[in-house]
Amino acid sequence: MSVRILGIESSCDETAAAIVADGREILSSVVASQINVHRKYGGVVPELASREHLRQIVPVVREALLQAGLNFSDLDAVGVTQGPGLVGSLLVGITYGKTLADSLNKPLVPVNHLEGHVHAVFLEAHKTGQVPELPAVCLIVSGGHTVLYDIRTEQGTRAEAAAHLHYHKLGQTRDDAAGEAYDKVSKLLGLGYPGGPILDRLAAAAGSAFAPVKFGRIKMKGNPLDFSFSGLKTAVLYHIRERAEYAPEIAKREAALERGEGKFEQLLPLCSPQTLGLVREFQNTVVRDLCDRTFAAAEQTGATTILVTGGVAANTQLRSAFEKRGKSAGIQTFFPSRPLSTDNAAMIAAAAYARLRAGTVADTSLNATASLPLT
Ligand code: KG4
Ligand code: ZN
């Protein structure tokens, strides 16, 4: 009999529920995005996020059961994100999850959101049958995090030993996360929220457009495996401020966003070659930096496997840069599919399965932990 776990995710601006069998087979995965609620503010507003989670949690779980063709009584456990994240948002998922687990008399498994992102890679690997060798270096790169971990297990070298992973942090951002830099630069350019998907496509559309600026490599004092993206964001800000020619097109794009015309096809004609060149240079700098430091981490630890996960792992250029570099360095690179890269609950259910096998369960005293470390 397979073990069916309901995963619940509510750490930021996605209310998600999924049912995963044996930590590898996704029976359903439902994500209710709050993007439309937060769009006009250019970022996540915590109070609105909590309220939206409250509205969505019941229908989202119901939909996950419906899509899987299951009832509550078919569930073997409930996995829920404990942190890190926004406390008010986390509390909605935790309160729902612990009430449900208690009423079903099934185990409640607390999950670290970052471990969920790691398991998104394993979920994908199970689908393709290519299981990553451990030890690995894992880059978790999203709107809230940019962090490098060494991941290993004492239970053999295969990710089947996922129940016994050990995490050692190698480096992290000292200021903005990479996804946050995408979102802020997008806002500066009047390109809307979230910034990653639109800048990804505009950079690809830039082709050989003239580069109005060249950003140097991002320099770090101290740990070379740390990151910093706020300087790059400020460099974009100054570049735009110092050139009056950007203002009219930014105003046109902001007006288009106001009218609800924020799709790529609608914004592309409102971007000058200069703006496209700027976006391409910004993305080149971010991708090169993420790639350089992650491969340096693998060199340092001797890992021959790299995992890349989190919302920014959906980026087209990032994926091809890692694959190309991996091939020439003899390092295997693994990504989740795009829907599994951004926040979802299938990754939480998969991580919960591993934790349940290792004996981690919580009781009704479980509480949200805004800055839960990954251990
Ligand atoms: O993992 P995620 O859904 O939520 C967090 O845990 O933060 O990541 C969301 C972030 C946003 O900052 C968004 O702009 C970025 O991921 N993102 C991308 C792409 N798709 C989403 N960044 C770059 N390229 C993309 N294609
Ligand atoms: Zn996330």
Side-chain angles (χ1 to χ4, degrees), residues 14 113 117 142-144 179 182-183 194-197 200 310-312 314-315 341-343:
E14 261 101 24
H113 180 79
H117 277 302
S142 69
Y182 266 97
D183 295 339
D200 186 356
V312 183
N315 188 271
S341 295
T342 47
D343 286 351

Side-chain angles (χ1 to χ4, degrees), residues 137 168 170 223-225 294-303:
V137 161
H168 171 67
L170 300 166
N223 183 0
L225 303 183
T294 308
F295 279 85
E299 203 175 312
Q300 182 179 305
T301 65

Side-chain angles (χ1 to χ4, degrees), residues 13-53:
D13 62 342
E14 261 101 24
T15 319
I19 300 168
V20 175
D22 294 334
R24 51 172 68 200
E25 193 195 343
I26 302 174
L27 304 180
S28 65
S29 181
V30 179
V31 180
S33 167
Q34 303 179 2
I35 282 175
N36 287 333
V37 175
H38 302 290
R39 185 166 271 145
K40 55 178 170 293
Y41 305 100
V44 178
V45 183
E47 294 79 3
L48 296 182
S50 315
R51 266 184 261 155
E52 228 9 59
H53 285 304

Side-chain angles (χ1 to χ4, degrees), residues 295 302-306 323-333:
F295 279 85
T304 54
T305 307
I306 286 178
E323 271 160 23
K324 199 168 154 204
R325 185 88 158 257
K327 274 197 187 113
S328 67
I331 289 181
Q332 277 204 298
T333 52

